[in-house]
């Protein structure tokens, strides 16, 4: 690791703009075939919530950088014996782990842990409750950047369960910072946030309003695991009101691109033919996720500064 202050990636707002730009450039360069760094470091994946994309792409990213990767099996770890997360982190640091990739259901848990871990141990927030998911926002922006569109030309709508979405919070912070042309957020009233900074964001109350002339739309999954009402909303009714279909995309700009952080629920927030169709960037986002996470790990190690 670098002997400079230990770096953490906790949220978008704590990154300076040069770092954001550098990460976007570096992920784009890696995706285009630039040679990765070799990092003599060890990373531990600690996931207290299910994950496919984030976990696997952090693992693949670390492997491509020559890092040692430890996947902690929580049901076989000492957390089942009551060990605190702080003690687990200190234990891993004492064994030479340089970086923990943490996903946790509690909002703010990663920030709290960052104030407790020993110097030299970096933390990467891979999603904390309704809080933040900075690597997802960065990979989403890198996916759009790869299309060659300028930020000022981007007219993006984020649609669905904004209230419970860490992807939306990090995305709104990042896209606003990048100075995109127009940024809209839309969802049913009960899914609109009461604790997110929506300055500079146009709030829409219907899907059609959010889609009009948009050249990119990001659909969000209903975060049922973060709601106390079970069975609400009804998936079929939700699809009728808020599901993205080819017919509804007609009011968007021609060639409007469709993003989704995954996992997708076909026939709920997005129709299958849209998810699989030519406008969909969903698998490009997944692919870019590996390169962005490589760029993030290089940055944590003090490689590839802002250029
Ligand atoms: N995979 C994203 C997250 O972990 C989005 C989602 O789960 O809906 O927040």
């Amino acid at each position: 690791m670098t002997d400079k202050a230990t770096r953490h990636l906790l949220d978008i707002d704590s990154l300076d703009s040069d770092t954001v730009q550098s990460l976007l450039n570096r992920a784009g360069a890696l995706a285009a075939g630039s040679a990765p760094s070799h990092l003599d470091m060890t990373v531990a994946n600690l996931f207290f919530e299910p994950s496919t994309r984030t976990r696997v792409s952090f693992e693949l990213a670390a492997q491509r950088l020559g890092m040692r990767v430890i996947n902690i099996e929580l049901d076989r770890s000492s957390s089942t014996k009551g060990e605190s997360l702080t003690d687990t982190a200190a234990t891993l640091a004492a064994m030479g782990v340089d970086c923990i990739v943490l996903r946790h259901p509690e909002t703010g848990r990663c920030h709290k842990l960052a104030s407790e871990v020993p110097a030299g141990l970096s933390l990467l927030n891979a999603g904390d409750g309704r809080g933040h998911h900075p690597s997802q926002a960065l990979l989403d922006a890198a996916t759009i950047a790869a299309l060659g569109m300028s930020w000022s030309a981007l007219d993006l709508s984020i649609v669905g369960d904004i209230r419970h979405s860490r992807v939306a919070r990090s995305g709104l912070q990042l896209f606003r910072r990048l100075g995109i042309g127009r940024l809209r957020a839309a969802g049913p009233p009960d899914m609109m946030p009461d604790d997110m900074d929506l300055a500079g964001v146009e709030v829409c109350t219907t899907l059609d309003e959010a889609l009009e002339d948009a050249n990119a739309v990001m659909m969000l999954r209903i975060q049922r695991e973060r709601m106390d009402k079970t069975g609400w909303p009804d998936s079929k009714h939700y699809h009728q009101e808020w599901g993205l279909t080819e017919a509804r995309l007609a009011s968007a700009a021609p060639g409007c691109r469709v993003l989704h952080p995954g996992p997708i629920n076909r026939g709920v927030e997005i129709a299958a033919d849209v998810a699989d169709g030519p406008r969909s960037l969903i698998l490009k986002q997944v692919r870019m996720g590996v390169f962005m996470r490589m760029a993030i790990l290089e940055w944590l190690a003090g490689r590839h500064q802002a250029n």
Side-chain angles (χ1 to χ4, degrees), residues 59-126:
E59 182 166 353
L60 283 174
Q63 284 173 0
R64 289 189 194 176
L65 297 167
M67 298 173 75
R68 293 169 292 279
V69 186
I70 314 289
N71 286 310
I72 314 251
E73 302 299 334
L74 284 173
D75 52 352
R76 290 200 266 149
S77 79
S78 286
S79 65
T80 59
K81 300 182 191 171
E83 185 173 67
S84 74
L85 183 52
T86 314
D87 287 335
T88 301
T91 300
L92 293 171
M95 286 191 271
V97 167
D98 300 287
C99 171
I100 292 179
V101 179
L102 178 69
R103 169 164 291 188
H104 202 280
E106 188 186 318
T107 305
R109 191 63 188 93
C110 205
H111 290 70
K112 185 168 181 290
L113 188 62
S115 65
E116 299 163 343
V117 291
L121 179 66
S122 287
L123 283 187
L124 271 166
N125 186 356

Side-chain angles (χ1 to χ4, degrees), residues 103 133 166-167 221 223 261-263:
R103 169 164 291 188
H133 198 348
R166 52 201 179 200
V167 175
R221 180 178 68 87
Q223 307 273 299

Side-chain angles (χ1 to χ4, degrees), residues 7-18:
R7 286 180 172 163
H8 303 296
L9 178 61
L10 302 178
D11 55 47
I12 291 296
D13 276 354
S14 52
L15 293 175
D16 61 49
S17 295
D18 285 349

Side-chain angles (χ1 to χ4, degrees), residues 144-158:
I144 294 173
L147 302 174
M149 195 192 296
S150 71
W151 295 123
S152 60
L154 179 62
D155 179 339
L156 171 70
S157 292
I158 302 181

